Amino acid sequence: MIKNICCIGAGFVGGPTMTVFADRCPHLNVTVVDINEKKINLWNSNNLDNLPIFEPGLAEIIRRTRNINLFFSTNIEEAIKQADIVFISVNTPIKTSGIGAGEASDLKWVESSARTIAEFAEGHTIVVEKSTLPVRTAQVIKEILDNNQINKKNINKVNTFSILSNPEFLAEGTALNDLENPDRVLIGGSDELSINALKDLYLNWVPIEKIITTSLWSSELSKLTANAFLAQRISSINSITAVCEVTGGNIKQVSKAVGLDSRIGDKFLNPGPGFGGSCFKKDILNLVYLCKYFNLPVVANYWDQVIKLNEWQKERIYKKIVEKLFGNLSEKRILILGFAFKANTNDTRESAAIQISKDLLNEGASLVFYDPKVTKKQILDDLYQIDEIKKNSFSKNISFSNDVYNAAKGSDAIIILTEWAEFKRIDWAMISTLMRSPSWIFDTRDIVNDNDIKKTSLNYWKLGNAQLD
């Protein structure tokens, strides 16, 4: 019977996932461990507004479970020792050097986790892949664990392991609902006893018909494929925004018409500056690398085009801004509204705002940033990325504000890059009195009410719409 769960990795997946496990399975002890002491301290902070990640509703669940049956700790050894199930939920970034650089995932943290589990686990332990991983990563984990079955503290004891794949299908901003009311729970493996043990935990709140079991390899590939398909839809609708702009079409009308087709549906058909987050780009790159490795160049090129379209979308938006501002951004003040890759999260990984902001800074613009959840430090880290040359050249042209109206004073342009709800409530009549004329609003999320803009002297460019151009 499962009593103790350990999750290695206290990030965007591990933290919320284990919080829901603790909430829905009060009979379990759930411990989330991480080598990052600062992150663990934030999870344990009395100030629930100071959690390391923002997710609507998360603080409330933390309040009722933490230090009752949910614990955050840096004592990895003890948590693994006590655990019946260990989830691996660590970062798997794209390799920056060596074989597969720029496409393959760097599995050093996965391998490190497997070796740590092998060292400290006692008895039989179910090891669950939770991170988004390349196909056949489970084999790497299995080989490490199989070669370290002898208990180092007692050579007469043999530890045993079962490996399962249980990929997450979370969308940041709605992660808690995705966890509490999932479309499906996927469990891949070959050990029926272990599969049923994990299934029994989910059955505490997930209907049995939503729990799917597969082989390990099908489970891993299903996760990559799901993210690739979602990213493909975003790139597809974004490609049509460009067509709408040159033909006089309206992307919102096109998207609605297409989405009403029951064969297609309306999910992921909202136009924007490009997909971001921790998974889409990384998973497609992994798929591209996998296809190249198995000599499927046509398939690799197909998926690579999804990423190229995404990068092109960011580039063309930046160029459109420069064009509208007379081809010169020197000494011009631009307000960036939103830096997170999407609303209702403070995650900035692969956010379109990063590249667009860098391009504008390289043109000589002075940028002022406002995002309700992303910190000043995070924005600076993303823009500089430990590049001292850029830090020195950009720093004088970067500022921050906690108030949209103060930030708009003297601005030449405002760019909406994240669809935060509060941006839909901006008083554009007031804004128009604060900006320097001629002033521009660039709406890359199609959230501004056209009629509100028409009542002002503001110039307006909206993604996928040529009518107000």
Side-chain angles (χ1 to χ4, degrees):
M1 181 178 177
I2 305 300
K3 295 181 179 179
N4 297 299
I5 290 180
C6 168
C7 177
I8 303 176
F12 282 89
V13 174
T17 301
M18 293 301 111
T19 298
V20 170
F21 263 109
D23 192 44
R24 295 301 184 124
C25 304
H27 60 286
L28 296 177
N29 285 316
V30 181
T31 304
V32 183
V33 296
D34 203 290
I35 60 173
N36 188 328
E37 185 175 358
K38 181 179 179 181
K39 183 182 291 185
I40 292 297
N41 288 339
L42 289 173
W43 280 113
N44 285 320
S45 172
N46 291 326
N47 180 4
L48 292 178
D49 291 330
N50 200 34
L51 294 175
I53 68 170
F54 172 75
E55 193 67 42
L58 179 60
E60 288 75 11
I61 304 181
I62 292 284
R63 183 180 289 111
R64 63 175 178 255
T65 57
R66 193 176 61 188
N67 297 327
I68 297 174
N69 71 322
L70 174 66
F71 307 92
F72 295 92
S73 173
T74 56
N75 191 343
I76 300 174
E77 175 181 351
E78 187 60 29
I80 291 175
K81 186 185 299 183
Q82 298 295 326
D84 303 299
I85 295 183
V86 179
F87 288 86
I88 298 178
S89 186
V90 296
N91 192 23
T92 53
I94 293 297
K95 291 179 69 176
T96 57
S97 61
I99 297 174
E103 292 178 343
S105 281
D106 187 341
L107 298 179
K108 64 181 179 182
W109 299 117
V110 173
E111 182 176 338
S112 175
S113 296
R115 293 186 184 281
T116 303
I117 293 168
E119 182 176 359
F120 297 118
E122 294 188 354
H124 182 71
T125 305
I126 301 171
V127 179
V128 183
E129 295 178 325
K130 201 65 182 172
S131 302
T132 303
L133 298 167
V135 180
R136 292 194 173 270
T137 301
Q139 187 63 36
V140 175
I141 298 172
K142 185 177 187 302
E143 288 183 15
I144 292 172
L145 296 176
D146 284 349
N147 283 280
N148 289 274
Q149 290 185 322
I150 302 299
N151 189 305
K152 293 182 179 180
K153 295 182 179 179
N154 185 344
I155 60 174
N156 294 318
K157 293 179 65 177
V158 176
N159 297 324
T160 56
F161 303 94
S162 296
I163 295 90
L164 302 178
S165 170
N166 177 219
E168 51 86 14
F169 295 99
L170 309 181
E172 290 181 47
T174 61
L176 292 185
N177 182 65
D178 296 336
L179 287 162
E180 294 175 327
N181 303 287
D183 292 332
R184 76 292 202 196
V185 170
L186 185 58
I187 302 174
S190 57
D191 179 358
E192 288 298 324
L193 289 177
S194 296
I195 290 173
N196 289 332
L198 182 55
K199 182 190 291 187
D200 286 343
L201 298 186
Y202 278 109
L203 285 173
N204 282 281
W205 78 95
V206 179
I208 191 168
E209 63 270 16
K210 288 190 173 184
I211 302 176
I212 303 169
T213 59
T214 70
S215 69
L216 274 171
W217 323 128
S218 292
S219 177
E220 291 177 332
L221 187 56
S222 295
K223 171 60 177 176
L224 288 184
T225 303
N227 278 346
F229 274 41
L230 293 175
Q232 179 196 52
R233 285 175 70 92
I234 295 173
S235 284
S236 293
I237 198 64
N238 279 342
S239 73
I240 303 303
T241 62
V243 180
C244 284
E245 289 162 26
V246 297
T247 61
N250 181 309
I251 190 61
K252 187 170 285 188
Q253 294 171 355
V254 173
S255 177
K256 181 178 180 180
V258 172
L260 287 173
D261 188 325
S262 60
R263 297 167 301 173
I264 299 173
D266 61 356
K267 303 297 185 184
F268 281 76
L269 289 182
N270 293 320
F275 57 74
S278 63
C279 288
F280 282 177
K281 181 177 180 180
K282 179 186 69 174
D283 286 358
I284 294 177
L285 288 171
N286 273 316
L287 190 55
V288 169
Y289 180 73
L290 184 72
C291 293
K292 288 180 179 178
Y293 180 84
F294 287 108
N295 195 29
L296 299 170
V298 175
V299 183
N301 291 337
Y302 173 80
W303 287 110
D304 189 47
Q305 195 61 40
V306 174
I307 294 176
K308 288 180 178 177
L309 195 290
N310 196 57
E311 297 304 312
W312 175 79
Q313 180 79 335
K314 291 182 282 189
E315 182 181 4
R316 81 177 191 87
I317 289 172
Y318 140 67
K319 288 181 176 179
K320 179 66 70 173
I321 294 167
V322 176
E323 174 194 325
K324 295 298 183 184
L325 295 180
F326 310 116
N328 170 44
L329 301 188
S330 180
E331 298 184 0
K332 289 181 179 174
R333 176 182 170 92
I334 298 176
L335 169 57
I336 304 293
L337 290 183
F339 203 81
F341 83 92
K342 62 181 289 189
N344 295 320
T345 181
N346 60 347
D347 193 355
T348 63
R349 286 175 290 182
E350 297 295 336
S351 172
I354 299 172
Q355 189 57 53
I356 291 174
S357 296
K358 285 182 177 181
D359 289 337
L360 296 174
L361 287 166
N362 281 325
E363 290 282 346
S366 292
L367 303 185
V368 54
F369 294 92
Y370 172 66
D371 187 290
K373 292 298 178 181
V374 180
T375 65
K376 173 182 176 181
K377 181 182 183 302
Q378 184 60 55
I379 292 173
L380 290 174
D381 286 347
D382 286 332
L383 293 178
Y384 298 154
Q385 294 182 335
I386 321 177
D387 187 328
E388 289 301 320
I389 296 176
K390 287 184 178 180
K391 183 174 182 178
N392 292 333
S393 62
F394 286 173
S395 60
K396 66 181 184 298
N397 290 333
I398 295 175
S399 59
F400 301 87
S401 178
N402 292 321
D403 181 89
V404 172
Y405 300 96
N406 282 335
K409 291 178 180 177
S411 293
D412 296 276
I414 295 176
I415 309 171
I416 301 173
L417 291 174
T418 309
E419 70 280 20
W420 287 103
E422 66 181 79
F423 298 161
K424 300 177 183 179
R425 300 188 294 268
I426 291 174
D427 183 344
W428 294 108
M430 173 66 76
I431 290 290
S432 67
T433 67
L434 300 173
M435 298 179 70
R436 187 172 76 160
S437 296
S439 45
W440 278 88
I441 308 300
F442 296 92
D443 181 6
T444 74
R445 294 289 186 171
D446 196 8
I447 63 173
V448 176
N449 187 305
D450 295 355
N451 292 326
D452 291 343
I453 293 290
K454 288 177 180 178
K455 297 173 184 177
T456 72
S457 61
L458 296 167
N459 294 296
Y460 181 46
W461 178 85
K462 180 164 67 171
L463 184 69
N465 192 319
Q467 294 177 7
L468 297 179
D469 198 356

